[in-house]
Structures are given as structure tokens and as C-alpha cells.
Amino acid sequence: MKQTKNVIKEKKYWNKIIWSNLFFTYALLFLILCCTCWSSAFNGDKNKFYANLVFGCFLLIVSFVLIVTFTILNVKKNKNILKNSKFIAYLYTTWIPIAGAITSYIYKFKENKLVKNKKAYAPSAYTILFFLTLAIALIIWIIYLTKGVITYEVDGETVTGVVPGILDVLMSPLKGFVDAGELIIFLLIIGAFLQIVNASKSIEAGISAIIKKMNGKEIYLIPVLMLCFSIGGTTFGMCEETLPFYLILTPIMLAAGFDALTSLFTILFGAGLGVAGSILNPFLIAPAVSAAGVEGLTTTTGIAWRIITYALLVIIGIACVTYHAYRVKKDPKKSIVYEQFEDHHKHFKIGNTEQYQLTTKRKAILWIFGFTFLLMILMVIDWEGLIPGFTGFTWFNNWLRENLPFIWSGEHGIGGWSLIEMSFLFFTSALIIGIITWKSEEDFLQNIFTGARDFIGVAFIIAIARGLSMMLTSSGVNSILVSGLSNMMNNINAQLGILIIFVIFIILSFLIPSTSGFASTVFPVMGPAIATSTSGLTVSGAITTFSLANGFVNLFSPTAGPFVAGCSLCKVSLNDFYKGAWKTLGIILLTMITLILIGTTVPKLF
């Protein structure tokens, strides 16, 4: 009897999957049929319309036969396998993977039973970008079927757009890897560099040294530490690297009479506002400039206003967090997490900072670390463009190439470095620090590979996004979007336009929190559109707006991994964070809006 009931339940489960696959398969086929028939009807070709209609009906009949055949053969053949494993059922019941994928999000197997998937699912940036690529490919086909062949101009020559096929969609990320090769190389190298520095525990030792010197004046730790974290955020996008500091700083803040929120705010807002006010963040500014592809646009364009933006945001952030710490120190009952004070004090213990002593070796590493980023800034700023008539750096570079070719033969001198030269800088610094901390060849190579591996995910995001932008460009749809956005912006006030862009960037940042992936996806269209408009907006201003919007969202979004991890490490619930931070977030948002509105009135700086 029990076995009979199980058989009946199993049949019901399979029926749900089969009918779900049938529905979504036919829905997709019907969409294709509508597109083809719409195209022929739109062109007024009755013969083509009827031909498409007959072909569509034939396709529906064939799909029905295929689904039934696949179901009978595969379900019966693999019945025992499916009972004892977690095979995804849609592979056996549909011949269109997309339809099966939709079904898989609705139903899932759990202990050999099919149940409704009620668990909230947050797709990763990879999934979002891949499905966005599929959607763009479908849109390109719809435009092609309705409008015909798309032509666009490249360097004065008329080029015919290429309509992507299924294999082209799958190949697009690989093409993106090739097109974004220099940027990906740079990210892998800087990842290796940061890992070697982190392995030496030099940064932790520096923080510990600062803490010891502030003994009895812990309130001054907040501006000092927030400034340090913000410098890391604005120069190299310090984000995940902050996680170890929550465990170091929280016990010290509690012992000093502050609360866990003070530690969370100090690190999160310090590094986060640094990223939001990025001056030369290689994971934000460089990808956006590279993706925009606008002539004359460099990583230093608009740097003056970015410096002002960074300074004001950090000052306001420091003021808000210091005020919070002062109130809690004066009256602990004013803390949002006051009821958890006892639990926090039991959980956290004063860390043994002796293990992070600032030795001579670690001091040397910190000096090299800081000098590397300083040198990067000096090498990418167009000094000869800023100083009229000055050509000394070009002369020196040419002299070096002619007289000392065994030292340097590069084409770019001071102020003209590209991503490859910057990669060389960080690789050289990694080698020097590796020699200082040398243990063995195996240890050094392990740190190199570990650091590079941490940025493989970012590299894939950039590759998928770059492949998507290449598809838009090669099909000619990019030119249509750029023309449409440009015409829209021509008829809009600059201040209103920048606010609309800011809101759009905030919404998109929830879906794509990765700065590199966001920039590589959006700016191939946004950059040229703004550059060709007459609204008064600048591409560098849009990049600054993107930096502010994305940085703001990552301060509180549940999709931002470092933020959620920081709350967890400090033992602060999201609810308590929002209660304690909403005023500060509101002040930061108003400051950002004010800065971008003022920036549009000074386009030479913005």
C-alpha cells in the first residue's frame, strides 16, 4: 500500500515537471513564431507570412513529438538513476534547455521528492550577465527581423551588422577575454600583489601600532582608521580585504567603551566611502574608461572633482561615525545594540596584538606598499597636459630608450602609462616584497597563484560583460542605442539628466554589485551616448556618478557580500544596522546628490 502511494506521488511529481516544461517550451516557440510572423506581416509580404506560420506550426508539432519521445525513453530508462540521485529532471524532459532551466527554478529535488522551490534565490552576477547576453541576442534578432539588415559607420566606412547565433552567444565571453586582456592581466597581477602583502601581516601590524599609540584616546582612532581605510578604498578598491580587521578592531572598540556598531561603521564606511569617491580605483575607474572607448578620455579625466568628492564624503563619514561613538561612549544606553553589550563582551576578547608587531621588515613592506600606489598615481597623470609647454618627461623617456635601452625601451614615459605598465609596476613590487618575506619558492608561488585566483571571478565577469558589449557593437545595435540615448539627452536638462543616470545606476548596482562588471556592461553604450549628446553632461561625470551610486548601494545592500560578512563578524543583525545607520546613509545620499548636481555646473572639473 505504501509503495503504491509512493508510485502515485512520483507520477504526480513527474507530471508537474512535464507539464511545466511543455508550457515554457511552447511559450518560447510561440514567441519565436510571433517574431517571425510579425516581421513578415510588418513588411507586407503575405507569402512570407503564411510560410512562417506553416513553419511555426510544424515546429510546434515536432516539439510535441520530441518532448513525448524524450520523456518516454529517458524517464523510463533512467527511472532507477533518478530515484537514487539528484539529477536535474529538466535534462530528461525537454529539448530546449532554457525551458528546462525555468522549470528548475520553480521545482527542485529533495530527498527523491519534487517540491516547490520556496527558497529565495539571488542569482549571481555571472548568471545575470549571461541571461542578459541571451536577451540581447534575442532583441538583436527581433530588430533584424523587423528592420532588416543593420548598417553603421566605422571610421567613415559603412559596415553591415552581424546577427549573433547560438554559438556566437556561447563564444562571446571568450572573445571578451581577448578584448579585455590587458585589464584582466592587471587584475590578476594586483591580486597577487595584495596577497603577498596580506601574507606578511604588515597592514595588521600597522593598525596594531596605531592602536597602541592611541591608548587612552581611542576616540581619535576613528578618524585615523577611517582615513586609512578610505585611502585603500579610493586607490585599490579595498573591500573584501577589510574583513580581517573586523575581528581585530571590534574587541578594541568594545574595551574602549564603544559598541560593535562603531567598529562596523569605522571599517565599512571608511573603505566604502573611499570606493564611492574613487580617485584612481583600478577596479572602477580603469574598467569604466576602457569600456567607454571615448577618444581623449583617460583615467585622470575629471580627477579634480573626484578628489573633492572623495574628501567631502570621507569628512562627512568620519564626522557621523565619530559622533555616534561619542554618544555611545557618553551613554551606552543610546546604542542600538545596548541589550547585546553583555553578549558582545563575552563573545569578543581583546586580541593579542603582539602577533602583529610592527617589525623592521613589516615597516619596509608598508613603505613599498604605499610607494607603489603613489607611483601608480604619478605615472598615469598626464603631467604634460596639465603643465602647458612642458615636455620634459617625453624627452627623458626618449633619452632613456636611446642611451640606456638595457634598462627601459617602453614607449610610454611618466604620465602616459597604460594598464600593462601598471601591471609591470605591481608585479615588480610583488617580487621585491616576496624577496623580503622569502620562505621558499613554493610559498612565494603559492601566494602569487592564490592572489590571482581570488580575482578569477572578477575576470570572468569582465569577460562576459565585454563579450556582451562586443555583440552589441558588431550587430550595429550599439549605434542605435547610442543614437537614441544621445537624442534623448539632447532634449533634457543636464541636472535632471545626471539625476536620472544616478537613479538608474543605483538600481543596476543591486543587480550587478561588481564595479568592474557594471562598468564593462553599461559604459560601452553610456559613454558614446553622453559624448555625442549636447546636454552638457560629460563621460567622466557619468563615471563619477557611477562610482557614487555603486559605492552607496554596497554600503547597505544585502547582495553586497563584504557588507553582510562585516555585519556577521561584528555580530550585528541587518535590522540593527539599518536602525543605527539610516541617518548616516541619508546624509551620505544627500551629499552625493549635491556633489553630482554641482559637478554638472563645472563640466571642466566634472
Side-chain angles (χ1 to χ4, degrees), residues 130-259:
F130 181 73
F131 278 103
L132 184 60
T133 303
L134 290 175
I136 292 297
L138 181 61
I139 291 172
I140 292 172
W141 267 100
I142 293 174
I143 294 175
Y144 172 75
L145 292 172
T146 56
K147 189 176 180 179
V149 177
I150 303 172
T151 59
Y152 59 98
E153 291 189 0
V154 177
D155 298 330
E157 296 183 2
T158 302
V159 180
T160 302
V162 178
V163 182
I166 296 175
L167 297 181
D168 295 308
V169 173
L170 297 176
M171 193 180 294
S172 64
L174 304 180
K175 293 181 178 179
F177 265 110
V178 176
D179 192 63
E182 290 190 6
L183 178 58
I184 291 173
I185 289 172
F186 174 67
L187 293 178
L188 297 179
I189 294 296
I190 199 173
F193 167 77
L194 293 174
Q195 173 60 29
I196 288 178
V197 174
N198 289 334
S200 70
K201 300 299 180 183
S202 299
I203 297 178
E204 287 90 338
I207 295 293
S208 297
I210 294 174
I211 290 170
K212 289 178 182 179
K213 290 183 178 180
M214 291 290 182
N215 186 30
K217 300 179 180 178
E218 288 83 1
I219 192 69
Y220 298 111
L221 275 175
I222 294 170
V224 172
L225 291 176
M226 287 189 70
L227 180 61
C228 292
F229 287 126
S230 70
I231 292 173
T234 196
T235 54
F236 67 93
M238 189 178 193
C239 190
E240 288 84 356
E241 296 82 4
T242 61
L243 296 182
F245 296 107
Y246 289 107
L247 297 176
I248 299 172
L249 195 59
T250 304
I252 296 170
M253 289 294 184
L254 291 174
F258 305 124
D259 60 355

Side-chain angles (χ1 to χ4, degrees), residues 463-478:
I464 298 172
R466 187 62 63 91
L468 170 59
S469 66
M470 292 175 67
M471 183 187 297
L472 285 170
T473 302
S474 62
S475 65
V477 172
N478 192 55

Side-chain angles (χ1 to χ4, degrees), residues 528-559:
I530 293 175
T532 55
S533 71
T534 58
S535 61
L537 297 174
T538 61
V539 182
S540 61
I543 292 175
T544 302
T545 304
F546 150 60
S547 174
L548 293 172
N550 191 268
F552 176 70
V553 169
N554 286 332
L555 290 176
F556 65 90
S557 172
T559 61

Side-chain angles (χ1 to χ4, degrees), residues 58-126:
F58 172 76
L59 194 63
L60 293 176
I61 294 172
V62 170
S63 69
F64 177 78
V65 174
L66 285 173
I67 289 174
V68 173
T69 304
F70 271 60
T71 302
I72 294 174
L73 293 179
N74 287 301
V75 172
K76 286 187 175 181
K77 184 178 179 181
N78 299 287
K79 188 174 181 181
N80 294 327
I81 297 176
L82 289 167
K83 276 186 176 181
N84 302 317
S85 65
K86 292 185 178 180
F87 273 45
I88 303 300
Y90 68 81
L91 292 177
Y92 297 96
T93 56
T94 181
W95 61 283
I96 297 183
I98 297 176
I102 297 173
T103 299
S104 72
Y105 283 123
I106 299 176
Y107 297 101
K108 67 177 181 179
F109 275 105
K110 186 176 182 181
E111 297 178 355
N112 301 327
K113 293 183 179 181
L114 187 68
V115 297
K116 197 75 172 181
N117 192 355
K118 296 181 179 179
K119 184 180 179 180
Y121 176 72
S124 65
Y126 311 100

Side-chain angles (χ1 to χ4, degrees), residues 126 177 184-185 187-189 191-192 283 448-464:
Y126 311 100
F177 265 110
I184 291 173
I185 289 172
L187 293 178
L188 297 179
I189 294 296
F283 303 109
I448 290 285
F449 297 147
T450 300
R453 185 174 63 241
D454 291 340
F455 287 89
I456 290 292
V458 179
F460 269 94
I461 289 176
I462 292 176
I464 298 172

Side-chain angles (χ1 to χ4, degrees), residues 563-586:
F563 158 66
V564 177
C567 289
S568 177
L569 291 172
C570 291
K571 300 301 177 183
V572 175
S573 67
L574 294 182
N575 187 46
D576 287 337
F577 170 81
Y578 293 133
K579 285 181 180 179
W582 72 269
K583 291 181 181 179
T584 301
L585 291 172

